[in-house]
Amino acid sequence: MTEMSKIETPALLHEVTEFLWTEADILDGKRYDEWLDLWTEDGLYIMPMGDGEDYANQVNLCYDNAKMRRDRVGRFQAGFSISSAPPALTVRTISRIVIDRIEGDEIHVRAAEHVIEDKFGRQRQWAGNAFYTLRRGERGFKLHRKIVKLLNSDGMLNSFSYLF
Amino acid sequence: MSLDTAKFSDLDALYSTDAKVATQMYEDPGLFAEEMEKIFKKTWVWVAHESEFPDKGSFRLSHVGLEPVIVVRDRKGAIHVMVNRCRHRAATVCEVKKGKTSSFQCPYHGWGYGLDGSLRALPYPEQYGDDFDKAQHGLLKLRTEAYNGMVFATFNEDAEPLVDFLGPEVCRYIDLFMKQGGGFPVKVLGEHQFAVPMNWKVQLENTTDAYHFPIVHKSFMQTLDAQTTDLFDFLDKGKGWVEDLGNGHSIMMMMPEREDLDDHLDDPIEDRFEELAAEIRAEGYDEAQVRKIVRAVGGAGFNLNLFPNVSFSLSFLRVLTPKSVEQTEIRHIALGMEGGPQAANQARIRLHEHFQGPMGFGSPDDAEVWERVQRGTKGGEELPILVNRGLVDEVPGVMGPRGHISAETGMRAAYEMWKRMMSND
Ligand code: FES
Ligand SMILES: [Fe+2]
C-alpha cells in the first residue's frame, strides 16, 4: 500500500479515468480485438451473482480467463450467434471513479457503470459497481481483474449480447 | 375476447389432430387464465430441489403457476409448501429468497406462523372473540411430494400420487440423471434467472427440440474441442431418439452412450477432463472413483422434459414460471456433488457458466429465438405453428411413440397432455 501525495492523486485519477473511458468507448464500439489487447494474459473478467466473493467456487454470470474472453469475442464476431447478430446497441457511462489503493504496480479502482441497451425497438438499462485491478505496463495500463457486480445480479435478468 | 367463444370449446382447433398449434395458443390472455386454472392448479408443479433447503428450518421461495409459495423443512424434517400470503390481510410473510428461520412473522400486524404454516400467535387477539379458531387460519397449504430430491406441489387434493403422475419411465430416467452426483448426493450449486417475453409453451417445446441445436448453438459448438464437438453432433450421428413418456413428459436421448453414467467407465478419459482427473487423483481418490466422478462431471446424455414446468438438461435443471400470456421466467439451476471433490464442482460450475445464463454461450441465443417466436406470432394469425416433424417415421416406444432425434414427438406429448387437462372441467 503506497501513500500518494496530494499532487500525485489528481494526475493518477486523470490517467485512470482516461483508461476506463477508453475501455468503455471500445466496448460501446464493439471493437473487441482492441478490448482483448487491454488484458494481461492471466487476467480474469468476472460478473458474479449475489454477494459472494468466492468467485471460483460459485456460479457467476461469467468467469472468463484469456481463452473464454477470446471465445466470447469470437462468438460475438463470427455472426453465428443469433443473439449478437445483430447485437443490442449500448451506450455506457463510467463514473464515480475511486482509487481504492495501490499495491506495487497494481492500482485498485472502483467505479459506477450504467449501461443502456437498445434492441428490438426497446431500451433496457443496467447499473453496476465495477472493480478493476490495473497493472502498469510499458504502454499504459492493462486490465488484470475486472469484476462487475450488477444490481439485482441474482434476480431476474435478461440475456446480454454485449459486455459490461 | 370472452370465455364463451368457440376457441375454448373447440380444443381441436387449438391443437389439431395433425399436430398443428393455433396462434392463439401463444397470445390469448383468456386462454392463459384458463391454463393457470386447469393445468397449473391441477397437476404436480415442480417447486424446488431438496438441497436448496437442506436443514431443519431452511426454506426457499418458489411459485406454483402464478402463486407465490414458500417451500420449507420443519423441525422434524418434513417438507411443507404453502402460499406466501398472510391469512389476515394478505401481505407476503416472507420476501427473503432463501434462508433459515424458526417461524414466519407477518410484517404488517404481526401474525406469526410455524414452519408447518400453522397460525401460532397474533397480537391482541381479544377483538376476534372467544370462538376465533387459530387452526382455521394457518397459511394455505399445498399437497407436497418428492421424488429423488425433486419436490413437487399441487393445489389439487385429488391429484394422483406424484410417482404415478411421473410414471415408471420418467422415474427411471430421473434416477439415471441423478447419477451425475458421481456417487455423491446431487446438490444445487447456484442458478441463473432471466425473463423472456414469450408464452410459457414456447419454452415447454424447447427442451426436447434437437432440431434447433446445430443452428442456434453453432456459436457454442465452435468453442468446443474436436472430441466434445463430436459428442454434441448427435443430430448427424442420429443414434439418439425422442420419446413420449406419457402424461406430457418426454425424453430426448442425445448421447445414448451417456444414458447410464455407470456404463463405459473404462473408456479413456476425455481430453478436456484430463487435467481435472489429475487434480482429483491428487486429492487422493482411487482410480475407479476418479473415473466415475469425471464421467459424472460431463452430465447425463439426455434431456428429460416434465409437464408442465421443469426439465432436466444434461447437467442442469430448467424451470419455467409463467407470468403472463407473453412473459415467462426461466431458472437454470446448476447441479454438483455434495461432499465431492471441489475441483469437480468447479468444473461443473465453469461448464454451466459456459452455456447457461444471461452471459452464457447458449442461453442468450435460445432466449433470442424464443422471443422471436412471440414477435413473429403477431403476424399471420391464421397460420398454424407446426409440430408435426417426424410423424412420418415414429415407432412405438415404451409408453408412447418414439421418433427420430430431431422429431417433434416431445412437443406432441406435451400438447396431448395440454389438451387432456384443458378438456377437464
Ligand atoms: S396482513 Fe399479516 S398480520 Fe395483518
Ligand atoms: Fe437451445
Side-chain angles (χ1 to χ4, degrees):
Chain A
M1 172 102 199
T2 315
E3 288 296 327
M4 281 181 297
S5 75
K6 285 209 164 62
I7 300 159
E8 284 167 40
T9 314
L12 183 63
L13 182 61
H14 181 82
E15 227 183 325
V16 165
T17 302
E18 207 166 30
F19 177 78
L20 298 188
W21 283 354
T22 300
E23 192 215 354
D25 191 42
I26 287 171
L27 287 177
D28 279 340
K30 306 196 190 301
R31 306 196 308 272
Y32 291 120
D33 292 322
E34 283 177 52
W35 186 72
L36 288 178
D37 286 340
L38 294 180
W39 283 88
T40 63
E41 186 53 28
D42 57 344
L44 280 176
Y45 170 59
I46 305 171
M47 290 189 56
M49 288 194 298
D51 302 326
E53 304 221 318
D54 183 7
Y55 307 126
N57 289 304
Q58 73 188 34
V59 176
N60 306 284
L61 294 170
C62 70
Y63 184 93
D64 290 2
N65 57 17
K67 179 182 185 305
M68 276 297 276
R69 287 194 299 276
R70 280 195 303 271
D71 282 349
R72 191 177 290 283
V73 162
R75 177 172 165 273
F76 286 162
Q77 291 173 334
F80 300 130
S81 157
I82 187 161
S83 60
S84 2
L89 302 176
T90 59
V91 171
R92 76 195 60 214
T93 307
I94 307 289
S95 186
R96 198 246 276 133
I97 298 167
V98 176
I99 296 172
D100 267 339
R101 61 184 198 282
I102 297 168
E103 285 170 352
D105 62 349
E106 288 189 354
I107 305 167
H108 296 261
V109 180
R110 65 193 156 87
E113 177 168 16
H114 186 191
V115 179
I116 315 265
E117 65 152 80
D118 184 286
K119 183 159 195 183
F120 288 138
R122 62 157 146 65
Q123 293 196 344
R124 289 164 160 159
Q125 51 175 326
W126 299 97
N129 286 299
F131 300 83
Y132 310 82
T133 304
L134 307 181
R135 278 205 183 148
R136 204 182 273 288
E138 280 148 36
R139 293 185 295 120
F141 293 128
K142 288 268 179 199
L143 286 165
H144 183 55
R145 285 283 181 279
K146 179 175 174 184
I147 297 165
V148 183
K149 298 184 175 183
L150 280 191
L151 295 187
N152 194 37
S153 62
D154 61 350
M156 207 54 66
L157 305 173
N158 54 261
S159 50
F160 302 117
S161 62
Y162 47 86
L163 301 176
F164 284 86
Chain B
M1 203 253 355
S2 79
L3 288 177
D4 53 28
T5 52
K7 58 183 177 260
F8 296 125
S9 51
D10 186 6
L11 293 171
D12 283 344
L14 292 170
Y15 177 58
S16 70
T17 44
D18 58 349
K20 294 183 179 137
V21 179
T23 300
Q24 295 107 290
M25 289 282 268
Y26 298 162
E27 282 216 303
D28 193 315
L31 188 61
F32 177 81
E34 201 162 316
E35 289 172 341
M36 293 305 105
E37 283 305 313
K38 290 188 167 177
I39 295 172
F40 282 85
K41 287 193 96 166
K42 286 283 155 43
T43 192
W44 290 102
V45 173
W46 187 88
V47 288
H49 186 266
E50 285 195 40
S51 66
E52 294 183 276
F53 54 109
D55 309 316
K56 290 166 184 178
S58 55
F59 66 88
R60 79 150 290 141
L61 300 184
S62 187
H63 283 88
V64 172
L66 298 175
E67 309 219 13
V69 298
I70 306 172
V71 188
V72 59
R73 206 181 286 268
D74 71 19
R75 276 193 198 86
K76 292 191 187 114
I79 300 170
H80 304 275
V81 177
M82 47 225 193
V83 177
N84 190 5
R85 169 196 169 121
C86 179
R87 288 298 304 279
H88 177 220
R89 293 237 296 275
T92 54
V93 298
C94 180
E95 286 292 344
V96 179
K97 230 191 260 175
K98 210 176 147 159
K100 215 168 166 174
T101 186
S102 55
S103 64
F104 296 98
Q105 176 99 11
C106 180
Y108 200 172
H109 311 90
W111 287 28
Y113 301 90
L115 293 174
D116 60 354
S118 58
L119 177 62
R120 288 285 158 77
L122 57 158
Y124 315 111
E126 303 77 24
Q127 269 63 46
Y128 289 106
D130 289 338
D131 54 357
F132 179 79
D133 185 4
K134 288 218 281 281
Q136 298 300 312
H137 291 84
L139 299 176
L140 182 60
K141 285 177 69 171
L142 284 76
R143 257 182 78 196
T144 304
E145 287 178 20
Y147 183 80
N148 202 343
M150 302 287 279
V151 185
F152 297 77
T154 181
F155 284 98
N156 183 3
E157 286 303 319
D158 301 324
E160 59 192 324
L162 175 65
V163 289
D164 294 348
F165 169 67
L166 298 175
E169 280 296 275
V170 166
C171 291
R172 184 173 74 83
Y173 282 119
I174 292 178
D175 294 346
L176 287 170
F177 184 85
M178 295 303 173
K179 285 194 180 186
Q180 60 190 288
F184 301 92
V186 166
K187 92 164 179 198
V188 168
L189 298 174
E191 64 176 297
H192 291 120
Q193 303 182 76
F194 54 100
V196 186
M198 63 167 168
N199 184 269
W200 66 280
K201 297 190 288 308
V202 177
Q203 210 298 281
L204 184 70
E205 293 166 3
N206 178 258
T207 315
T208 55
D209 174 9
Y211 194 25
H212 83 283
F213 201 91
I215 317 292
V216 170
H217 301 307
K218 185 168 177 174
S219 82
F220 164 74
M221 296 281 281
Q222 284 180 330
T223 58
L224 305 178
D225 60 66
Q227 228 173 19
T228 317
T229 304
D230 188 55
L231 197 64
F232 276 92
D233 190 21
F234 45 82
L235 214 63
D236 273 337
K237 282 189 285 193
K239 276 188 282 177
W241 67 88
V242 187
E243 191 170 336
D244 178 337
L245 301 181
N247 286 349
H249 316 313
S250 60
I251 182 153
M252 171 171 73
M253 181 59 68
M254 291 169 279
M255 307 157 190
E257 66 280 14
R258 299 185 64 86
E259 172 173 349
D260 187 336
L261 292 170
D262 285 341
D263 292 343
H264 308 291
L265 282 172
D266 295 331
D267 286 2
I269 287 174
E270 293 168 55
D271 294 348
R272 61 175 172 153
F273 292 137
E274 254 165 24
E275 227 172 282
L276 173 65
E279 268 185 83
I280 300 173
R281 262 180 223 118
E283 283 191 42
Y285 290 90
D286 66 41
E287 193 54 28
Q289 245 182 324
V290 170
R291 287 177 164 271
K292 190 172 166 130
I293 293 165
V294 166
R295 190 156 173 79
V297 165
F302 55 87
N303 284 6
L304 178 65
N305 201 24
L306 300 196
F307 189 90
N309 80 320
V310 65
S311 6
F312 304 63
S313 181
L314 295 167
S315 56
F316 67 102
L317 302 176
R318 175 186 273 173
V319 185
L320 72 87
T321 308
K323 288 287 147 185
S324 71
V325 69
E326 295 194 14
Q327 189 72 16
T328 305
E329 292 179 352
I330 305 294
R331 293 167 60 193
H332 280 171
I333 299 175
L335 302 172
M337 304 169 188
E338 172 79 63
Q342 190 179 40
N345 278 340
Q346 277 191 7
R348 298 270 303 190
I349 292 172
R350 298 290 92 82
L351 287 171
H352 191 79
E353 289 162 348
H354 187 179
F355 194 93
Q356 323 303 336
M359 304 277 288
F361 290 24
S363 299
D365 295 325
D366 277 324
E368 171 97 8
V369 290
W370 299 340
E371 177 168 356
R372 287 194 188 203
V373 167
Q374 197 70 33
R375 296 170 73 79
T377 299
K378 300 279 183 247
E381 201 198 355
E382 67 283 9
L383 302 174
I385 291 135
L386 306 182
V387 295
N388 58 352
R389 184 182 165 80
L391 265 176
V392 284
D393 53 4
E394 259 176 3
V395 296
V398 182
M399 314 272 296
R402 175 190 274 209
H404 182 263
I405 179 72
S406 75
E408 284 152 352
T409 308
M411 297 164 219
R412 293 193 284 276
Y415 281 118
E416 290 298 343
M417 181 65 168
W418 179 93
K419 209 174 192 175
R420 209 168 94 200
M421 297 205 74
M422 291 294 280
S423 63
N424 290 339
D425 287 317

